[in-house]
Amino acid sequence: AGYTGNPEAKKAPTYDNVCYGRQWVEGVRVTYDDSKLSYDQLLDAFFETQNPDPRSRQYSSMIFYGSEEEKNAAETWLATDRVRKDGISTKWTNVEASSPFYMAEGYHQRYWQKMRPRAAVGLLLTAIGSGVLDRFVPVDFQQTVQTCGNASALIGCLYILLERKIDAKVVELP
């Protein structure tokens, strides 16, 4: 995962530049073997798996081409309007020349795979801190259990904030 779509970039963006600016898009760099997968098949997979937001450049549907051949193929592919069951249409997709690609921060890689379990643990610790286990815990230990749940949830939040500071390097890929 990374950031692209800004051909005038002089330096690597920050996540805030991407979130609050209009120059960047979040994207993935795809390398594929064209003897096993055609460019049209790649575009089909892109269309079926993306989750674009047409109101936001950051999450827009973009095809970045690396050659005139790819540009022509993408434009031909887009000429046939497709609409998914959820209403997402190829009309939302733009085609632009590829520009520098910056690999996003380490904490941004595989983001949902990391955040889902963290969110679940956070909810569990918050529930423990609010006394959900009180009926199973002896009265003398209830306050201790709640305090440990709250403290653990707070430590988890601090870890996530610290991770964003420590692992904030954005690198341009060749």
Side-chain angles (χ1 to χ4, degrees):
Y3 313 125
T4 191
N6 186 355
E8 287 88 36
K10 303 284 188 249
K11 64 179 186 169
T14 64
Y15 185 60
D16 285 344
N17 295 140
V18 178
C19 286
Y20 304 114
R22 300 280 306 151
Q23 303 84 11
W24 297 96
V25 295
E26 289 192 40
V28 293
R29 181 181 245 183
V30 177
T31 304
Y32 70 101
D33 182 346
D34 59 2
S35 69
K36 296 181 180 179
L37 181 74
S38 73
Y39 191 62
D40 281 351
Q41 289 172 315
L42 178 64
L43 292 172
D44 288 338
F46 154 76
F47 179 66
E48 291 302 323
T49 58
Q50 69 173 329
N51 189 17
D53 182 345
R55 300 162 296 172
S56 163
R57 179 160 169 84
Q58 178 187 2
Y59 298 119
S60 60
S61 177
M62 305 286 290
I63 297 171
F64 293 98
Y65 60 87
S67 67
E68 284 299 312
E69 182 182 351
E70 286 181 356
K71 177 185 178 185
N72 294 335
E75 289 173 344
T76 300
W77 181 83
L78 285 172
T80 304
D81 186 34
R82 296 167 176 81
V83 179
R84 294 189 332 203
K85 291 178 185 174
D86 60 4
I88 292 175
S89 168
T90 52
K91 290 180 182 178
W92 297 3
T93 303
N94 295 308
V95 178
E96 292 184 11
S98 60
S99 56
F101 185 89
Y102 295 87
M103 187 171 80
E105 304 86 339
Y107 71 83
H108 212 93
Q109 304 301 322
R110 306 179 76 61
Y111 184 79
W112 286 114
Q113 288 88 336
K114 292 187 278 189
M115 288 309 289
R116 284 184 179 125
R118 290 176 180 180
V121 169
L123 286 171
L124 176 65
L125 291 171
T126 302
I128 291 170
S130 69
V132 76
L133 296 179
D134 284 356
R135 62 183 161 169
F136 305 108
V137 176
V139 173
D140 293 346
F141 296 105
Q142 288 177 357
Q143 188 64 43
T144 301
V145 169
Q146 291 174 14
T147 300
C148 289
N150 287 328
S152 298
L154 182 60
I155 289 168
C157 290
L158 291 173
Y159 171 78
I160 290 170
L161 290 173
L162 185 61
E163 179 185 39
R164 287 179 173 251
K165 294 294 180 196
I166 292 172
D167 199 8
K169 188 174 184 181
V170 176
V171 181
E172 182 175 0
L173 298 180

